[in-house]
Amino acid sequence: MRDLLPLAEKVASLLKARHETVAVAESSAGGLISAALLAQPGASAYFLGGGVIYTYASRRLFLGLPDAALASIRPATEPYALLLARTVRQRLGATWGLAETGATGPTGNRYGDAAGHACLGVAGPLERAITLEKGQADRCANMRAFAAAALELLAQLSTLTLPTAER
C-alpha cells in the first residue's frame, strides 16, 4: 500500500484545501482506496465513508441499489462505475463519489472481463469514467493498480474544478 500513499496525500491535500469531501464504493480494490485515503493525517476532514461493494447483497444493503436499478447496466462497466459513484456520493452527502469495479484475477469475472479489467468512476462537480486494462492475472498488483488509477482520476478531476469560493 505504500506506493498508494503519495497519490492519496495529493488527493487529501486538494480536498482539505477546498473543504471538499469524498465517499468511496470500491470492489476489486478491496478497500485499498479507502485505506490509502484514511492513512493521511486529518482524514476526518474529507473522508465521509466507504465500502467494499463486492456482492449483490452488499450493493443492495450498503448503497440501497435494488437489482432492478441495474436492469440496463452491466457490472464492471463505465456506466456501472458512475452509478456507484453517484450513489455513494448522494448517500453520504459528499462533494465527490469515487467508485471502482472490475476483475482482479487470477481469472476474469462472470461478465466476461479478463483479469486486470477495471472501470473507475468519479461523480461530483465534474464526472468521468474510465476503463483500465492491465492484462495481467496478478491479483495484488491489479488491486494496487486499480486503487492508484482511482486516486489519480479523482486528483485530475478535482484540480479541474473551480475552488469552492468561485463556484
Side-chain angles (χ1 to χ4, degrees), residues 103-107 115-116 134-146:
T104 49
T107 61
K134 297 305 295 177
Q136 62 184 13
D138 184 327
R139 187 173 184 83
C140 289
N142 285 333
M143 289 172 74
R144 286 190 309 272
F146 297 171

Side-chain angles (χ1 to χ4, degrees), residues 9-167:
E9 181 179 19
K10 178 180 177 180
V11 169
S13 293
L14 288 166
L15 294 174
K16 286 192 287 190
R18 296 175 181 215
H19 305 284
E20 295 177 344
T21 56
V22 65
V24 179
E26 55 192 302
S27 176
S28 299
L32 290 178
I33 299 166
S34 295
L37 288 168
L38 287 167
Q40 304 307 310
S44 60
Y46 62 86
F47 188 86
L48 296 185
V52 178
I53 309 304
Y54 203 69
T55 63
Y56 294 140
S58 63
R59 185 184 66 220
R60 284 188 299 269
L61 182 66
F62 297 129
L63 295 181
L65 282 172
D67 295 339
L70 284 104
S72 63
I73 300 175
R74 180 176 77 77
T77 62
E78 290 179 15
Y80 182 71
L82 274 177
L83 174 65
L84 294 179
R86 289 173 184 143
T87 302
V88 75
R89 175 186 185 222
Q90 183 271 325
R91 285 186 68 90
L92 292 173
T95 310
W96 298 98
L98 177 59
E100 170 277 326
T101 178
T104 49
T107 61
N109 61 25
R110 69 175 101 190
Y111 312 108
D113 301 307
H117 166 89
C119 291
L120 313 166
V122 174
L126 297 173
E127 287 191 351
R128 184 169 300 150
I130 63 168
T131 299
L132 184 65
E133 298 289 352
K134 297 305 295 177
Q136 62 184 13
D138 184 327
R139 187 173 184 83
C140 289
N142 285 333
M143 289 172 74
R144 286 190 309 272
F146 297 171
L151 291 167
E152 185 59 41
L153 182 60
L154 179 56
Q156 288 171 7
L157 287 186
S158 62
T159 59
L160 295 175
T161 62
L162 295 172
T164 304
E166 296 180 30
R167 282 191 207 152

